[in-house]
Amino acid sequence: MTTTRSTDIAIVVFCAAMWGLWWYPVQQFENVGLAGPWIGLAMCACTLPVGLAWISMRSGGISPRGVLGALLIGACFMLYAVSVSYTDFIRAVLFFYFAPAWSTLIELIFFGRRRSAQCLISIACSFIGILLISRGEVSFDGLGAIGDWMALAAGMSWSIGASLVFSSREAEVSRVMVIASLGGVGSALIIAVADGSVAAGVPDFPDLMITVPWVFALAAVYVGTMMAGTMWGAYRLPPAVMSYLLSIEILGGVLSAALILGERYGWFEFGGTVFIIGAVLIEVVFAPSGVEKPVSAPAKTVPPG
């Protein structure tokens, strides 16, 4: 594993672990009266200033393929966030993290990845880990609830979007981040219209920004930083590697909930942790996919910042 690749992986691992704290800013927005798609809209909107500031420090463009991929990633973030409002959190996590399977299939079909036993083993380890952490309390009976389908759609949107961004020769990461944020805002508005949130009344965002500015500042710093690192990885790492690395989010969520909220962390959670880390090691360290990033301009290989 090269030093550059190791750095890219370290950035994504950190971001994935921090995504596990996603519940905290969501909780803060709920405390000030936001719910459903309005929380996602506020979060994505808060990342726009961060992305625009990053653009001002970098040069480069983005191809139509990169634009489409970024929009799908933005839709993924929004669908995943809103799915929790319509289904149990564990169900949302389980259905979203079919993403490693979707990403592996995309690499096999479109990127010329060789079929191997490691593919099946890493996917199996990932799912076993999720089932252990959920203590087998997730049933596929009744699949069809809107939240379940949103989580499934989010995983597919991530896999396709990340594949498009990765395979794009022209997709400067700061621009990917801004377009993803806009995609998230647009998706939130579509969901708000579809689920009746707009008809029920649009929150007074300007008033909230004046009365509780720290909540929006928290979202800008937290979500902005995590999205920047995630977009960086999506551009530089193969889709399946990214999907497996992001599954570390589950561990971050379980551990933070146990340490901060006092939720349970026993042998099931420990076993799930071992299996998820095992899936990551098999995919990232022991059986690299061999999918190569298209050659890009030197300006895009500068570390983010």
Side-chain angles (χ1 to χ4, degrees):
M1 187 182 300
T2 65
T3 301
T4 301
R5 181 181 169 87
S6 298
T7 302
D8 295 338
I9 289 174
I11 290 172
V12 176
V13 167
F14 171 77
C15 289
M18 292 303 293
W19 277 123
L21 294 171
W22 171 268
W23 56 266
Y24 182 74
V26 168
Q27 185 182 75
Q28 301 310 307
F29 275 119
E30 288 177 340
N31 290 341
V32 300
L34 297 183
W38 301 126
I39 294 177
L41 186 149
M43 283 189 167
C44 287
C46 285
T47 65
L48 284 172
V50 178
L52 292 172
W54 195 13
I55 281 179
S56 69
M57 297 184 287
R58 298 179 63 86
S59 60
I62 184 167
S63 67
R65 178 190 292 260
V67 170
L68 178 57
L71 289 173
L72 285 171
I73 290 175
C76 155
F77 287 147
M78 185 56 50
L79 286 167
Y80 184 42
V82 178
S83 70
V84 179
S85 299
Y86 295 99
T87 189
D88 295 336
F89 176 72
I90 291 297
R91 288 181 70 87
V93 169
L94 178 63
F95 292 129
F96 175 79
Y97 277 103
F98 273 97
W102 305 138
S103 296
T104 300
L105 285 174
I106 289 171
E107 288 189 3
L108 288 169
I109 296 171
F110 297 105
F111 288 80
R113 176 174 177 171
R114 294 182 179 178
R115 290 186 292 272
S116 66
Q118 285 88 346
C119 290
L120 295 177
I121 293 172
S122 55
I123 290 173
C125 284
S126 180
F127 287 144
I128 291 171
I130 294 170
L131 288 172
L132 283 173
I133 287 176
S134 69
R135 299 190 175 219
E137 295 173 0
V138 178
S139 171
F140 286 87
D141 294 338
L143 175 63
I146 185 66
D148 296 342
W149 285 114
M150 279 186 171
L152 273 173
M156 295 187 71
S157 293
W158 164 261
S159 298
I160 298 171
S163 298
L164 289 171
V165 169
F166 175 76
S167 61
S168 174
R169 298 176 185 273
E170 186 73 11
E172 209 291 313
V173 287
S174 61
R175 285 159 174 76
V176 173
M177 176 181 170
V178 169
I179 293 171
S181 298
L182 292 173
V185 170
S187 299
L189 290 173
I190 293 172
I191 293 171
V193 171
D195 73 358
S197 295
V198 170
V202 178
D204 189 345
F205 284 107
D207 181 66
L208 287 173
M209 293 180 69
I210 293 172
T211 55
V212 285
W214 69 271
V215 176
F216 291 86
L218 169 67
V221 173
Y222 170 75
V223 184
T225 301
M226 297 307 100
M227 188 176 286
T230 305
M231 295 305 98
W232 178 260
Y235 181 65
R236 297 177 62 86
L237 295 172
V241 169
M242 274 296 298
S243 296
Y244 280 103
L245 290 175
L246 286 180
S247 67
I248 293 174
E249 173 200 348
I250 302 169
L251 309 185
V254 170
L255 290 173
S256 65
L259 294 173
I260 299 173
L261 303 179
E263 296 188 4
R264 63 187 180 183
Y265 188 88
W267 286 109
F268 279 95
E269 288 77 14
F270 177 76
T273 299
V274 170
F275 272 99
I276 289 174
I277 292 176
V280 172
L281 290 176
I282 291 170
E283 179 67 22
V284 178
V285 179
F286 300 134
S289 67
V291 176
E292 296 183 358
K293 171 71 187 169
V295 177
S296 57
K300 296 183 183 64
T301 62
V302 179

